[in-house]
Amino acid sequence: MNRARELLAPWQPSVREPFDLARAGHLLRRGAFGGSLALRRSLVARGVDAALDELFDPSSDPQLDAGFTDVVAFDDIERVRAYWVWRMVQGPPRIRARMTLFWHDHFATSNVKVRSARLMARQLQLFERAGLGKFDALLLEVSRDPAMVRWLDSESNVRGRANENYARELFELFTLGVGQYSEQDVKEAARAFTGWHLRGESFAFRQRFHDGAAKRVLGRRGALGGEDVVALAAAHPASARFVARKLLAFFVHPRPTTAEVDALAAAYRDAGRDLGATLRVLLRSRLFFSPRAWRSRIKSPVDFVVGMVRCLGGRAAPLRLTRAIADMGQVLLEPPNVAGWPGERAWMTSATWLARTNFAGRLFTAAYKTHPAAATVLERPRPAQRADLAIELLLDGVIDDTARQAIHRLAETGVPPADLLHAVQCLPEGHLL
Amino acid sequence: MTHPHDDERRGVSRREVLRSVAAAPLLGAAGSMRWLPHGDSRCLVVLELDGGNDGLNTILPLEDPAWARARPQLAGVRRGAHRLAGGFGLHPAMSGLHGLMRDGLAAVVHGVGFAGSSRSHFHNRDVWHTADPSFRELRADSTGWLGRAADLLATGGAAVPGLSVGSLSVPLVLKAKEVVVPGLRRIEDYRVLVSPGPDAARRREQLIALATGEGEGRKGSDGLRSFLCGVARTAADSSEALHTALARYRPKARYPATALGRKLQLLARIVICGFGTRLFHVNFSGFDTHAGQLATHEALLRQLSEAVTALVRDLVAHRMADRVLGMVPSEFGRRVAENRSGGTDHGDAGPVLWFGGALRPGLHGAHPSLTSLRDGDLVPTTDFRGLYGAALGFLGLDAKPVLGDEFLLAPGVNPVRA
């Protein structure tokens, strides 16, 4: 227990380990979608606690949110996708925005089957609204979310002919993981969800299709309804560890240790399964700022593209960005299946590496018009200064000596600044989160 | 930046590098899996007519009076129809395909479908893709029949056994259990591109050297870094090897300047340069002709005929036609009677076209009756899985692990030459 406490104890900045550009960059990349050099510098000046306050700022931006109303009205999946990417690029650095992507991968719903841009947009709105609250409340809302109802066939789940799809994925992929429940649990939980249908495009409980007889689910007996099953699954001890593991894999390291999972699961229970409170502990922890977490994940296409544009502090046409993200293997709102994207090394293939490399090249070549930060590289008179600024801009200034020397040599050949930025971004470090 | 190895890299050792990576993964294969060329093996092309092609206005039952009766307006295509054996005709817009049929390079199987067809695009397409008529819902582990074939080929050593041509999204039919079947839109993108300029080649080399960790003499200092350096090396080398191979391709047929023409020429280049991909899926959409069908359908069939004809003529000229089998399915045929908007609604059985150099020419199987209908629809005479079995046989693959059973075709129905 002591060791567990140590892992999540608040990280203390010191002279040897200050809250510097690298740590501010790490916090912004993992907790948001990255940020400009100016933002990183201002966070360093304000300190780690102020940086966390910024990340966890609960206020919402009505101008940013107004777009949801528009895309819901348009009902065009390309527009929803582009709007979402635009939010990621233009929005303030918020953990809330980051969690929307996390939940989209966790509750992976695809428009290939839902076939309604409107419902997909409403699901994103749900993640944005409830993604940092209590897990129990989020899970209940997701279970009644119209896109989810269509995605996992809840509408064909009726008394006498139960459809197990939602019940199974609820246990297997959303809360417990394989091995923590029995086939009987799935069968009886499916009966508890009978009648959870839609009327038009809204959730409707239809009593006459509901099986009101007694069931036994996860050790509890009674005339259980869907709400009871959701509450049982969320409160199950395996669920705390399951959620903790997913959060650690997303925020800290792709393969969390048992000790790490135990520690975060305990913190999550202590916080009454409040996700915002749990994440605040995690992102302030020694573990989060440890070498184990630093550049230990491979950027997803969203991280790569959105992060690069935010790094430059500039703008880009969102539709072009969503297509670039798709070229790199991530079609937002169409995850490959209900388990979400495999992620990490699976992102990197010959084809997707080329897509990343060529997109970066095009972005930097075009950058001078639209990205003020990129233009500053031009203004540095000496090649070494240009090289160092490029490394600072894109890699928080952290790179080993041999790589730095190689970038310096490249700068001395007098290549255009766009090529310099391109080369820095294409270093292996440029693909690490 | 200095290049101590420039001369060496441009000279012998560079060529050796390229030769050795002819055995590197092309697309989709992660990390540094080995790719083995299958330059002389057979390929299957599935060209899907998306939306439900009106088979009765493609292969025309000219001599059946019930046909013209059910379609007073649409039967107008009989004028200018190309005559086929057995009293059938081919839509007038398909003169190229007619030439292929005359030369034994195209064939037709009548009345293909399955019992339990639903008139839903989505359900029927999922059934055709999974080869499972009892298919109900998409699950995490749902696979398509071409994906399962890709898994079999991958165990035989091909890292890029299948390809979705002309699109980056990969349809259910190509979803596999073990391998990832990639999509390829434009081959020009499959290369490290730098901004144009006098020293573009040198700048490309510099970029690759940095990305692969070579310019710094620090490869493989840890797991993730060396993995990323390896991906970059494979991508840079295999894309150069592919472009070198493709540079040798000379089209020997004139492809139409249509989206489908471009897709099929891309496919031809990959097949002809001997890259080893053996399963191709191409989507051609727009066939959901509920209204004003005559003009739309004619345009679609013309594009189809022109593009397929160019592909087959190109393959013949390159002496590759015997190694390529093409199959043109659609999720369903359409209602026998035309509707009041000059179109047709969702129906059931339809003909499947075939192309390539390994066919038994002509029309195969029994045409469904135009009078004994089921709910206004043609009743299938041949189960689509039998056609899949024939295609798998052409590839030298066992049907059973892919389809769950053999699904042998009735005598005389198989369009593929043994």
Side-chain angles (χ1 to χ4, degrees), chain A residues 19-73:
Chain A
F19 185 63
D20 55 6
L21 205 61
R23 290 185 177 85
H26 174 64
L27 183 63
L28 279 173
R29 273 191 303 279
R30 296 285 175 99
F33 293 98
S36 67
L37 191 53
L39 175 65
R40 279 174 277 156
R41 283 180 176 151
S42 102
L43 292 186
V44 169
R46 287 152 63 197
V48 63
D49 286 306
L52 263 100
D53 288 343
E54 172 86 43
L55 225 56
F56 283 83
D57 183 343
S59 64
S60 60
D61 180 342
Q63 238 183 326
L64 206 60
D65 290 339
F68 266 129
T69 321
D70 295 341
V71 291
V72 165

Side-chain angles (χ1 to χ4, degrees), chain B residues 10 76 108 126 152 157 177 198 209 226 249 258 267-268 278 299 303 315 328 350 353 357 366 392 408-409:
Chain B
R10 294 220 177 94
V108 173
D126 288 347
L152 282 187
K177 203 167 158 209
S226 66
Y249 163 78
T258 57
L267 188 156
R278 299 186 57 194
Q303 289 171 43
L315 290 169
V328 189
L353 300 174
L392 291 166
L408 294 177
L409 287 166

Side-chain angles (χ1 to χ4, degrees), chain A residues 348-351, chain B residues 25-35 159-160 180 182 231 234:
Chain A
M348 301 304 292
T349 69
S350 300
Chain B
L26 167 59
L27 304 141
S32 46
M33 230 164 114
R34 301 271 301 168
W35 172 79
V160 192
V180 178
V231 170
T234 304

